[in-house]
Each structure stands twice: as structure tokens, then as C-alpha cells.
Amino acid sequence: MTEPLFRDDAYLKEAEAIVEAVDDRGIVLDRTIFYPQGGGQPGDRGELLLEDGSRLAILNTTYGADRKTILHGVAEGSALPQLGARVLGRIDWDLRLKRMRAHTALHLLTAVLPYPVTGGAVGDGEGRLDFDSGEAALDKTEIAERLNALIGKNAVVRTRWISDDELAANPGLVKTMSVKPPTGTGRVRLVEIEGIDLQPCGGTHVLNTKEIGEAAVTGVEKKGRINRRVRIALSRSAA
Ligand SMILES: [Zn+2]
């Protein structure tokens, strides 16, 4: 399996690793800072610096079929490293930070709109969530005001782990019905935005809501009778 370094520290921009496997689906490293596509967040891009000084572009990062191995995807025809080679991985940090800010803003959006979440996606400085909001009227201006008020609380974001049993005893923690938190490994990662939100999540987040910057609500669309899709965009760079 690949040690997911981004899980304990989402701010790592580069890290050394050893090549453990190479095939046409991608390169497997013993550890990585590249976030694999999942939970509505896209896979990281970046590059691997090889010992001979050459650079190998990583176009996407995905999980292997076992969900424990992480595959670093390269362009067809790339010169691939040898097994056992030492590489320096470097993510596209500008892109990742935009996604971390958007992802954290979407957690806050679930606090503004406390309805079951049926889908969502994290983009590059923007994102969306689908809510099973019933007949409730959702007002763009009001949502934006409340979202920015939460961002302005400068709340600390932290992670901790609980057991599968603790999660089973607290089903209210799961807001996202379409993406069940991964259980079966015995523990689940919780992301807490102090005083605002607590939910299981495996994604990457900023450490304080002040890093999100200002958010705009760019759309509220009907997606079926009781579903509403709310889109947000971050309108200035992080603090
Ligand atoms: Zn998250």
C-alpha cells in the first residue's frame, strides 16, 4: 500500500519516495503527497523528479482497485523510472490550494444548509453540493452572507480518527448520503471545523477558515423535485 502523506499534512508540497511498481495505469510509490481522485475532489497533478535530473509529469492521481495503492498517472510514451528508484514528488500546489480552500468552503456550506447532501464536486477555487432540501426556498444572497460569516470566524480546522463502532453509534455525523465514509479499516477520519461542523471526510482542507477567502454563491438550480444544486466560487485569493 501507499502511505498517504497528504492525510496527516495537506500542506506538503514535495516529498521523496521509492518507486514500488510501474505499469500502464501509473507509477506506485511507497508514500505520496499526491491526493487520489475521490470524495468529489479531483486527483492531484504535479511532477516526479528522477535521480538523473529528468522530470516526469503526473497528469492525474487515482486509487488502485484495492483502494490502498495510489497510482500516479503519466502520459503515454513517457520514459518510466526503474523499480526501487528514488524520486522527489512535487504537486501542483497552486491547484491543490484552490481545491483545499473550495473543499473547506463546502464543509461550511453544509452548516449553512443543514440538509442531507446527495452529491458534490470540488473544483479549482469553486465547487458545488446537491442538497435534499425539500421545498425550502434557497436564497443566493442569504446563503453567501451566512457562508462568509462562517469563513470570517477564522475557525480552526482539524482532523481526528474514531472507530467504526463510534461512527455507527453516531449516524448523524454522515451528511453525505451519496458517498458513504470508508469503513472496514476499523477507523474513520473526522474533519472538525471548530464550533461549526464535524463530519467524516478523507479529503484535503485548509487549517483555518480565513484561508478560504471570500465566497460567492454563483448558482442555485433545481435538480429534481426536492434536490437543489448550490454552486460557490471563491472570489479572491486566500489570506
Ligand atoms: Zn472534506
Side-chain angles (χ1 to χ4, degrees), residues 14 40 44 64 80 84 95 121 145 162 177 189 202 223 226:
E14 54 178 49
D44 275 330
L80 298 172
L95 193 61
E145 278 175 12
I162 61 168
M177 298 195 299
R189 184 178 187 252
K223 302 296 284 185
I226 58 169

Side-chain angles (χ1 to χ4, degrees), residues 40-204:
Q41 184 175 329
D44 275 330
R45 301 204 298 250
E47 61 182 10
L48 300 183
L49 275 68
L50 310 186
E51 280 177 309
D52 65 4
S54 62
R55 291 157 187 263
L56 184 57
I58 302 302
L59 306 181
N60 192 16
T61 310
T62 55
Y63 277 111
D66 62 1
R67 299 283 300 173
K68 290 175 182 163
T69 304
I70 294 172
L71 302 168
H72 303 79
V74 298
E76 229 178 286
S78 300
L80 298 172
Q82 301 287 320
L83 290 186
R86 184 173 294 275
V87 298
L88 179 70
R90 191 178 280 164
I91 56 170
D92 182 336
W93 174 248
D94 288 345
L95 193 61
R96 162 71 89 70
L97 183 58
K98 283 180 186 170
R99 292 171 181 174
M100 284 165 49
R101 291 167 56 217
H103 188 135
T104 311
L106 291 177
H107 279 247
L108 294 179
L109 187 61
T110 69
V112 172
L113 300 171
Y115 306 108
V117 174
T118 57
V122 176
D124 305 338
E126 44 94 28
R128 62 173 164 81
L129 286 177
D130 296 341
F131 294 95
D132 187 350
S133 55
E135 303 298 328
L138 303 185
D139 179 72
K140 276 203 301 200
T141 308
E142 190 194 330
I143 296 168
E145 278 175 12
R146 290 170 59 199
L147 184 56
N148 283 303
L150 293 180
I151 292 168
K153 285 180 180 284
N154 299 344
V156 170
V157 182
R158 60 171 75 91
T159 60
R160 59 191 165 93
W161 294 85
I162 61 168
S163 69
D164 284 356
D165 292 343
E166 285 173 87
L167 181 67
N170 295 281
L173 291 174
V174 183
K175 292 181 180 175
T176 309
M177 298 195 299
S178 65
V179 188
K180 288 267 184 276
T183 55
T185 58
R187 59 179 201 158
V188 174
R189 184 178 187 252
L190 291 183
V191 174
E192 177 183 22
I193 304 180
E194 197 171 45
I196 299 173
D197 184 56
L198 176 68
Q199 59 181 294
C201 187
T204 59

